[in-house]
């Protein structure tokens, strides 16, 4: 995050982490606009990416974007999402254990649950892998279909 320019236990790390969270929020908000006005959103994303890369290269890691571009952090939503994922995966493991399902099936189900909950960040990669694993497992349990 800080390119090794800030010591690990520096008090500067808190504000830098907060700024990084706001930058991520701004990028996610700009990405969400792609479905509404694709050309304007693409220009905004490109402008923001160029600004971030220039300032990062200059070592301005505490000012990657201007204040007008920053969005307030959504930490509570992320914490809630992580908690929900942990609870659902635990329930899935317990249910698989009680039903006598094989471990690979429980793992595949856990991957699919995590992909569904984190669909913005992982829909293409993790969900695709989870669906491939699920398809292989279904072929294992129901051969010839």
């Amino acid at each position: 995050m800080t390119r090794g320019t800030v010591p690990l236990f520096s008090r500067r790390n808190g504000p830098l982490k907060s700024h990084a969270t706001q930058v991520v929020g701004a990028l996610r908000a700009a990405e969400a606009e792609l479905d509404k006005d694709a050309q304007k959103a693409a220009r905004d994303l490109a402008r923001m990416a160029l600004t971030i890369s220039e300032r990062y290269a200059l070592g301005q890691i505490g000012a990657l974007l201007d204040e007008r571009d920053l969005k307030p952090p959504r930490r509570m939503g992320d914490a809630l999402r992580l908690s929900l994922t942990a609870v659902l995966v635990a329930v899935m493991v317990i249910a698989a254990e009680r039903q006598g399902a094989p471990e690979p099936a429980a793992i595949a189900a856990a991957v699919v649950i995590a992909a569904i909950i984190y669909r913005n960040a992982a829909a293409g990669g993790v969900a695709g892998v989870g669906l491939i694993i699920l398809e292989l497992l279904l072929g294992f349990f129901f051969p010839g279909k």
Side-chain angles (χ1 to χ4, degrees):
M1 176 182 82
T2 60
R3 300 177 0 152
T5 59
V6 180
L8 181 62
F9 297 109
S10 173
R11 61 188 142 147
R12 292 171 38 208
N13 281 325
L16 290 174
K17 187 172 183 176
S18 175
H19 178 70
T21 304
Q22 289 177 320
V23 169
V24 169
L27 290 171
R28 285 183 179 164
E31 177 192 20
E33 294 296 315
L34 284 171
D35 296 328
K36 297 175 186 171
D37 186 2
Q39 288 183 342
K40 180 184 179 308
R43 280 193 301 272
D44 288 343
L45 273 171
R47 178 185 52 78
M48 289 167 57
L50 182 62
T51 302
I52 290 169
S53 62
E54 285 177 347
R55 291 182 182 173
Y56 187 82
L58 293 172
Q60 298 175 343
I61 54 177
L64 294 174
L65 285 176
D66 296 328
E67 287 296 321
R68 65 181 167 90
D69 290 325
L70 295 177
K71 302 290 181 206
R74 295 180 49 202
R75 289 189 185 142
M76 189 53 122
D78 290 340
L80 180 65
R81 191 179 308 175
L82 180 62
S83 299
L84 180 64
T85 302
V87 167
L88 288 177
V89 167
V91 167
M92 178 59 58
V93 168
I94 292 169
E97 177 76 23
R98 288 189 178 175
Q99 297 298 323
E103 285 183 23
I107 292 170
V111 168
V112 170
I113 286 172
I116 290 170
I117 293 174
Y118 284 95
R119 67 185 173 274
N120 282 349
V126 174
V129 170
L131 292 176
I132 290 170
I133 292 172
L134 193 59
E135 183 178 331
L136 292 172
L137 290 173
L138 288 175
F140 175 75
F141 290 117
F142 303 105
K145 293 194 179 202

